[in-house]
Amino acid sequence: MTTQTTQLVRAAALHDVPAESGHVVHLAGRTIALFNHGGTIYAVENRCPHMGFPLHRGSVNDGILTCHWHHARFDLASGGTFDQWADDALAFPVTIQDDAIWLDLTTAGDPRAYQRERLHVGLERNLALVIAKAVLVLLDRQGDPTEPLRVGLAFGTNYRQAGWSQGLTILACMHNLRPHLDQADQPRAYYHGLAAVARDCADMAPHFTIRPLPTADTDGATLKRWFRQFITVRDAEGAERCLISAVRAGLDRTTLADILFAAVTDYRYISVGHPADFTNKALEALDAVDWEPASAEAVITSLAHSYATAERMEEANSWRHPIDLIALLEAAFSALPTAVATGQTVANPWDDRPALLAHLLADDPAATVQAMLTAVEGGCPPVTLASLVSYAAALRIARFHTSNEFGDWDTALHTFTFANAIEQGLRRTPSPELLRGVFDAAISLYLTRFLNIPAARLPEPPPQPAAGNPAALLQGFPALLDRQQQVNEAGELAANYLFAGGDPARLIALLGQLLVREDRDFHTIQMIEAATRQYATQTDPAAKVHILVAAARYLAAHAPTMRAQGQTYGIALRLHRGERLFADDEATTEADAQDSTTGVAAT
């Protein structure tokens, strides 16, 4: 048997709170509103949990307290809200002794558990402020960063009939960026990702899981073949049943990735590369949660719809005329197995990057494809080939001229993020099918050649290293992106910082900070995340600089925005810190502890 001791604190004399009125007291660091309603004394924390408005300025009717700012309504006795966009108010038990009001200030419950529940409410009702509040609590004091990711994955895959899309991709990108961000920016990143998931699922039909095949002994090769057949005929349900059967059969993560990447590259550059990037991000998200079974089933099966419904470049005029690029690729794919087998017998390591890069950026697709085949025959590893194509795609952005139409930034971006996804896929599961995607990326790169005519000048290192403090260069970067069309200036600043010996990690952290202060934009988030990954994997120092120059230029082209989402997050952050949002809000003072009306009793 245990005995619980309740600590009661004297709040006020009973006559201090006349009938049907409110009274504010400061106790133990809290500001509390007392209400005398119907002859009963009630006590709630004075800050409205929605946005901090003083509740003592609200009104009470029939036991319901209404905040006068956004009209959030609360049960005066329990503090529970009737409006899901507001949180529950904190209510305190009241005891009357000797004409004095005593409050029990001990708070029950686990705030993290409460905010986990609130995060689900925010996702269900697309409430950005509720999501922001929940994330701040869940990540406070070194909270588990995979927790918001797990919640978002479960929600996004269960409540969007069409499966994986932009919202979950943004969430995965933000999780990947987290280690590169300053600690203060990490909750903001998850807020953007989870809010994007909520928006993606708003007013959408849920996804009903398809059951696996009755027997679990179908081999992986058969399921892979069937899955690709169903994608060919655009049968998303049949394809999904193959995937859920593959997961339930216990196929390892490498085999599952191989099944997905084979199908996503069976047709040329489907839906301008988005399904390939979705696949890569889905697999990276599963890595983060250690491929726990429930997540693996939900995430893997969520990809089928985007494959089956994708636009195929075989159907696009630009890939058929005036040059039949599809026929060119099909011929290359026929020769590819022999080229790979020959390359595996080459003893000396391949080293002809400059020549192949020149072909990739040239104006002759047949020569480009042949140069790639020759490189493979000469021993160029598939990952190296993919990495070089990714770099060439980044150069399209680093050299993108601002005389182009604004929408063409996305044309260049799609090639880069597709190339990065294929490269990361090859690092995960090298396969002859997936290698086709590298050739697709090269052809997309060819089709975007006009975006570099004329080409913006690439920043070059000075003859001698600049003197001074490189970090000082970054101080003006945020103000630079407060102005429109600072594309070239942003690229120059990033390059000069690196040329001066600046720490690349600080530049990446700042790019991430400037990314999350803007209203979320799918393509810009893709750009910064892919550039961060490419910076880590590229080996050529010049390529590393050019990739971050491309990232800075793309970010500058898409800033500033309205930053409405940042305003919402800022409100949540101020509430989380306990800051005053209103000038006339009564604040807690040091004098609280010396309040002559306060005493303590144990019952």
Side-chain angles (χ1 to χ4, degrees), residues 196-210:
V197 171
R199 182 182 61 180
D200 230 15
C201 296
D203 301 321
M204 296 288 286
H207 174 255
F208 297 109
T209 303
I210 293 177

mmCIF file with all atom_site columns, all heavy atoms in Angstrom, residues 196-210:
data_model
loop_
_atom_site.group_PDB
_atom_site.id
_atom_site.type_symbol
_atom_site.label_atom_id
_atom_site.label_alt_id
_atom_site.label_comp_id
_atom_site.label_asym_id
_atom_site.label_entity_id
_atom_site.label_seq_id
_atom_site.pdbx_PDB_ins_code
_atom_site.Cartn_x
_atom_site.Cartn_y
_atom_site.Cartn_z
_atom_site.occupancy
_atom_site.B_iso_or_equiv
_atom_site.pdbx_formal_charge
_atom_site.auth_seq_id
_atom_site.auth_comp_id
_atom_site.auth_asym_id
_atom_site.auth_atom_id
_atom_site.pdbx_PDB_model_num
ATOM 1   N N   . ALA A 1 196 ? 3.665   18.730 -44.139 1.00 0.00 ? 196 ALA A N   1
ATOM 2   C CA  . ALA A 1 196 ? 3.507   18.354 -45.547 1.00 0.00 ? 196 ALA A CA  1
ATOM 3   C C   . ALA A 1 196 ? 2.744   17.037 -45.670 1.00 0.00 ? 196 ALA A C   1
ATOM 4   O O   . ALA A 1 196 ? 1.909   16.862 -46.573 1.00 0.00 ? 196 ALA A O   1
ATOM 5   C CB  . ALA A 1 196 ? 4.880   18.244 -46.214 1.00 0.00 ? 196 ALA A CB  1
ATOM 6   N N   . VAL A 1 197 ? 3.008   16.089 -44.771 1.00 0.00 ? 197 VAL A N   1
ATOM 7   C CA  . VAL A 1 197 ? 2.258   14.826 -44.775 1.00 0.00 ? 197 VAL A CA  1
ATOM 8   C C   . VAL A 1 197 ? 0.784   15.087 -44.504 1.00 0.00 ? 197 VAL A C   1
ATOM 9   O O   . VAL A 1 197 ? -0.102  14.534 -45.181 1.00 0.00 ? 197 VAL A O   1
ATOM 10  C CB  . VAL A 1 197 ? 2.838   13.856 -43.726 1.00 0.00 ? 197 VAL A CB  1
ATOM 11  C CG1 . VAL A 1 197 ? 1.941   12.632 -43.565 1.00 0.00 ? 197 VAL A CG1 1
ATOM 12  C CG2 . VAL A 1 197 ? 4.246   13.426 -44.126 1.00 0.00 ? 197 VAL A CG2 1
ATOM 13  N N   . ALA A 1 198 ? 0.503   15.933 -43.515 1.00 0.00 ? 198 ALA A N   1
ATOM 14  C CA  . ALA A 1 198 ? -0.896  16.245 -43.188 1.00 0.00 ? 198 ALA A CA  1
ATOM 15  C C   . ALA A 1 198 ? -1.604  16.879 -44.379 1.00 0.00 ? 198 ALA A C   1
ATOM 16  O O   . ALA A 1 198 ? -2.752  16.525 -44.699 1.00 0.00 ? 198 ALA A O   1
ATOM 17  C CB  . ALA A 1 198 ? -0.952  17.175 -41.976 1.00 0.00 ? 198 ALA A CB  1
ATOM 18  N N   . ARG A 1 199 ? -0.942  17.803 -45.029 1.00 0.00 ? 199 ARG A N   1
ATOM 19  C CA  . ARG A 1 199 ? -1.546  18.468 -46.188 1.00 0.00 ? 199 ARG A CA  1
ATOM 20  C C   . ARG A 1 199 ? -1.775  17.476 -47.317 1.00 0.00 ? 199 ARG A C   1
ATOM 21  O O   . ARG A 1 199 ? -2.800  17.511 -48.010 1.00 0.00 ? 199 ARG A O   1
ATOM 22  C CB  . ARG A 1 199 ? -0.637  19.601 -46.660 1.00 0.00 ? 199 ARG A CB  1
ATOM 23  C CG  . ARG A 1 199 ? -1.194  20.397 -47.838 1.00 0.00 ? 199 ARG A CG  1
ATOM 24  C CD  . ARG A 1 199 ? -0.236  21.464 -48.293 1.00 0.00 ? 199 ARG A CD  1
ATOM 25  N NE  . ARG A 1 199 ? 1.036   20.889 -48.735 1.00 0.00 ? 199 ARG A NE  1
ATOM 26  C CZ  . ARG A 1 199 ? 2.055   21.632 -49.177 1.00 0.00 ? 199 ARG A CZ  1
ATOM 27  N NH1 . ARG A 1 199 ? 1.967   22.952 -49.189 1.00 0.00 ? 199 ARG A NH1 1
ATOM 28  N NH2 . ARG A 1 199 ? 3.175   21.045 -49.572 1.00 0.00 ? 199 ARG A NH2 1
ATOM 29  N N   . ASP A 1 200 ? -0.823  16.564 -47.513 1.00 0.00 ? 200 ASP A N   1
ATOM 30  C CA  . ASP A 1 200 ? -0.931  15.568 -48.579 1.00 0.00 ? 200 ASP A CA  1
ATOM 31  C C   . ASP A 1 200 ? -2.116  14.635 -48.359 1.00 0.00 ? 200 ASP A C   1
ATOM 32  O O   . ASP A 1 200 ? -2.712  14.135 -49.325 1.00 0.00 ? 200 ASP A O   1
ATOM 33  C CB  . ASP A 1 200 ? 0.356   14.741 -48.606 1.00 0.00 ? 200 ASP A CB  1
ATOM 34  C CG  . ASP A 1 200 ? 0.960   14.635 -49.997 1.00 0.00 ? 200 ASP A CG  1
ATOM 35  O OD1 . ASP A 1 200 ? 0.552   15.415 -50.872 1.00 0.00 ? 200 ASP A OD1 1
ATOM 36  O OD2 . ASP A 1 200 ? 1.843   13.783 -50.195 1.00 0.00 ? 200 ASP A OD2 1
ATOM 37  N N   . CYS A 1 201 ? -2.427  14.369 -47.094 1.00 0.00 ? 201 CYS A N   1
ATOM 38  C CA  . CYS A 1 201 ? -3.493  13.408 -46.777 1.00 0.00 ? 201 CYS A CA  1
ATOM 39  C C   . CYS A 1 201 ? -4.848  14.074 -46.561 1.00 0.00 ? 201 CYS A C   1
ATOM 40  O O   . CYS A 1 201 ? -5.863  13.367 -46.433 1.00 0.00 ? 201 CYS A O   1
ATOM 41  C CB  . CYS A 1 201 ? -3.121  12.621 -45.524 1.00 0.00 ? 201 CYS A CB  1
ATOM 42  S SG  . CYS A 1 201 ? -1.651  11.588 -45.702 1.00 0.00 ? 201 CYS A SG  1
ATOM 43  N N   . ALA A 1 202 ? -4.879  15.404 -46.482 1.00 0.00 ? 202 ALA A N   1
ATOM 44  C CA  . ALA A 1 202 ? -6.129  16.105 -46.193 1.00 0.00 ? 202 ALA A CA  1
ATOM 45  C C   . ALA A 1 202 ? -7.182  15.794 -47.251 1.00 0.00 ? 202 ALA A C   1
ATOM 46  O O   . ALA A 1 202 ? -6.927  15.889 -48.458 1.00 0.00 ? 202 ALA A O   1
ATOM 47  C CB  . ALA A 1 202 ? -5.876  17.611 -46.118 1.00 0.00 ? 202 ALA A CB  1
ATOM 48  N N   . ASP A 1 203 ? -8.355  15.399 -46.801 1.00 0.00 ? 203 ASP A N   1
ATOM 49  C CA  . ASP A 1 203 ? -9.508  15.116 -47.668 1.00 0.00 ? 203 ASP A CA  1
ATOM 50  C C   . ASP A 1 203 ? -9.252  13.967 -48.652 1.00 0.00 ? 203 ASP A C   1
ATOM 51  O O   . ASP A 1 203 ? -9.931  13.854 -49.670 1.00 0.00 ? 203 ASP A O   1
ATOM 52  C CB  . ASP A 1 203 ? -9.924  16.369 -48.451 1.00 0.00 ? 203 ASP A CB  1
ATOM 53  C CG  . ASP A 1 203 ? -10.298 17.521 -47.535 1.00 0.00 ? 203 ASP A CG  1
ATOM 54  O OD1 . ASP A 1 203 ? -10.934 17.268 -46.505 1.00 0.00 ? 203 ASP A OD1 1
ATOM 55  O OD2 . ASP A 1 203 ? -9.940  18.669 -47.840 1.00 0.00 ? 203 ASP A OD2 1
ATOM 56  N N   . MET A 1 204 ? -8.287  13.121 -48.349 1.00 0.00 ? 204 MET A N   1
ATOM 57  C CA  . MET A 1 204 ? -7.998  11.981 -49.212 1.00 0.00 ? 204 MET A CA  1
ATOM 58  C C   . MET A 1 204 ? -8.641  10.722 -48.631 1.00 0.00 ? 204 MET A C   1
ATOM 59  O O   . MET A 1 204 ? -8.793  10.595 -47.410 1.00 0.00 ? 204 MET A O   1
ATOM 60  C CB  . MET A 1 204 ? -6.487  11.765 -49.337 1.00 0.00 ? 204 MET A CB  1
ATOM 61  C CG  . MET A 1 204 ? -5.752  12.907 -50.011 1.00 0.00 ? 204 MET A CG  1
ATOM 62  S SD  . MET A 1 204 ? -6.069  13.014 -51.787 1.00 0.00 ? 204 MET A SD  1
ATOM 63  C CE  . MET A 1 204 ? -5.108  11.630 -52.370 1.00 0.00 ? 204 MET A CE  1
ATOM 64  N N   . ALA A 1 205 ? -8.982  9.801  -49.517 1.00 0.00 ? 205 ALA A N   1
ATOM 65  C CA  . ALA A 1 205 ? -9.471  8.500  -49.052 1.00 0.00 ? 205 ALA A CA  1
ATOM 66  C C   . ALA A 1 205 ? -8.319  7.735  -48.414 1.00 0.00 ? 205 ALA A C   1
ATOM 67  O O   . ALA A 1 205 ? -7.166  7.867  -48.833 1.00 0.00 ? 205 ALA A O   1
ATOM 68  C CB  . ALA A 1 205 ? -10.045 7.709  -50.222 1.00 0.00 ? 205 ALA A CB  1
ATOM 69  N N   . PRO A 1 206 ? -8.595  6.939  -47.382 1.00 0.00 ? 206 PRO A N   1
ATOM 70  C CA  . PRO A 1 206 ? -7.518  6.162  -46.752 1.00 0.00 ? 206 PRO A CA  1
ATOM 71  C C   . PRO A 1 206 ? -7.056  5.028  -47.652 1.00 0.00 ? 206 PRO A C   1
ATOM 72  O O   . PRO A 1 206 ? -7.725  4.657  -48.624 1.00 0.00 ? 206 PRO A O   1
ATOM 73  C CB  . PRO A 1 206 ? -8.180  5.625  -45.477 1.00 0.00 ? 206 PRO A CB  1
ATOM 74  C CG  . PRO A 1 206 ? -9.625  5.537  -45.823 1.00 0.00 ? 206 PRO A CG  1
ATOM 75  C CD  . PRO A 1 206 ? -9.902  6.698  -46.745 1.00 0.00 ? 206 PRO A CD  1
ATOM 76  N N   . HIS A 1 207 ? -5.917  4.487  -47.290 1.00 0.00 ? 207 HIS A N   1
ATOM 77  C CA  . HIS A 1 207 ? -5.394  3.332  -48.016 1.00 0.00 ? 207 HIS A CA  1
ATOM 78  C C   . HIS A 1 207 ? -5.759  2.062  -47.249 1.00 0.00 ? 207 HIS A C   1
ATOM 79  O O   . HIS A 1 207 ? -5.433  1.934  -46.068 1.00 0.00 ? 207 HIS A O   1
ATOM 80  C CB  . HIS A 1 207 ? -3.870  3.429  -48.138 1.00 0.00 ? 207 HIS A CB  1
ATOM 81  C CG  . HIS A 1 207 ? -3.250  2.206  -48.746 1.00 0.00 ? 207 HIS A CG  1
ATOM 82  N ND1 . HIS A 1 207 ? -2.554  1.276  -48.007 1.00 0.00 ? 207 HIS A ND1 1
ATOM 83  C CD2 . HIS A 1 207 ? -3.233  1.743  -50.024 1.00 0.00 ? 207 HIS A CD2 1
ATOM 84  C CE1 . HIS A 1 207 ? -2.136  0.304  -48.794 1.00 0.00 ? 207 HIS A CE1 1
ATOM 85  N NE2 . HIS A 1 207 ? -2.532  0.570  -50.023 1.00 0.00 ? 207 HIS A NE2 1
ATOM 86  N N   . PHE A 1 208 ? -6.438  1.156  -47.911 1.00 0.00 ? 208 PHE A N   1
ATOM 87  C CA  . PHE A 1 208 ? -6.811  -0.116 -47.301 1.00 0.00 ? 208 PHE A CA  1
ATOM 88  C C   . PHE A 1 208 ? -5.798  -1.169 -47.726 1.00 0.00 ? 208 PHE A C   1
ATOM 89  O O   . PHE A 1 208 ? -5.615  -1.423 -48.920 1.00 0.00 ? 208 PHE A O   1
ATOM 90  C CB  . PHE A 1 208 ? -8.227  -0.519 -47.705 1.00 0.00 ? 208 PHE A CB  1
ATOM 91  C CG  . PHE A 1 208 ? -9.277  0.436  -47.224 1.00 0.00 ? 208 PHE A CG  1
ATOM 92  C CD1 . PHE A 1 208 ? -9.948  1.262  -48.111 1.00 0.00 ? 208 PHE A CD1 1
ATOM 93  C CD2 . PHE A 1 208 ? -9.574  0.535  -45.871 1.00 0.00 ? 208 PHE A CD2 1
ATOM 94  C CE1 . PHE A 1 208 ? -10.912 2.152  -47.670 1.00 0.00 ? 208 PHE A CE1 1
ATOM 95  C CE2 . PHE A 1 208 ? -10.533 1.425  -45.420 1.00 0.00 ? 208 PHE A CE2 1
ATOM 96  C CZ  . PHE A 1 208 ? -11.201 2.236  -46.325 1.00 0.00 ? 208 PHE A CZ  1
ATOM 97  N N   . THR A 1 209 ? -5.143  -1.764 -46.756 1.00 0.00 ? 209 THR A N   1
ATOM 98  C CA  . THR A 1 209 ? -4.060  -2.702 -47.027 1.00 0.00 ? 209 THR A CA  1
ATOM 99  C C   . THR A 1 209 ? -4.577  -3.940 -47.751 1.00 0.00 ? 209 THR A C   1
ATOM 100 O O   . THR A 1 209 ? -5.607  -4.520 -47.385 1.00 0.00 ? 209 THR A O   1
ATOM 101 C CB  . THR A 1 209 ? -3.381  -3.132 -45.718 1.00 0.00 ? 209 THR A CB  1
ATOM 102 O OG1 . THR A 1 209 ? -2.916  -1.964 -45.042 1.00 0.00 ? 209 THR A OG1 1
ATOM 103 C CG2 . THR A 1 209 ? -2.213  -4.059 -45.987 1.00 0.00 ? 209 THR A CG2 1
ATOM 104 N N   . ILE A 1 210 ? -3.864  -4.332 -48.790 1.00 0.00 ? 210 ILE A N   1
ATOM 105 C CA  . ILE A 1 210 ? -4.179  -5.568 -49.508 1.00 0.00 ? 210 ILE A CA  1
ATOM 106 C C   . ILE A 1 210 ? -3.479  -6.725 -48.810 1.00 0.00 ? 210 ILE A C   1
ATOM 107 O O   . ILE A 1 210 ? -2.314  -6.621 -48.405 1.00 0.00 ? 210 ILE A O   1
ATOM 108 C CB  . ILE A 1 210 ? -3.713  -5.457 -50.977 1.00 0.00 ? 210 ILE A CB  1
ATOM 109 C CG1 . ILE A 1 210 ? -4.560  -4.399 -51.710 1.00 0.00 ? 210 ILE A CG1 1
ATOM 110 C CG2 . ILE A 1 210 ? -3.787  -6.801 -51.687 1.00 0.00 ? 210 ILE A CG2 1
ATOM 111 C CD1 . ILE A 1 210 ? -4.145  -4.146 -53.128 1.00 0.00 ? 210 ILE A CD1 1
#
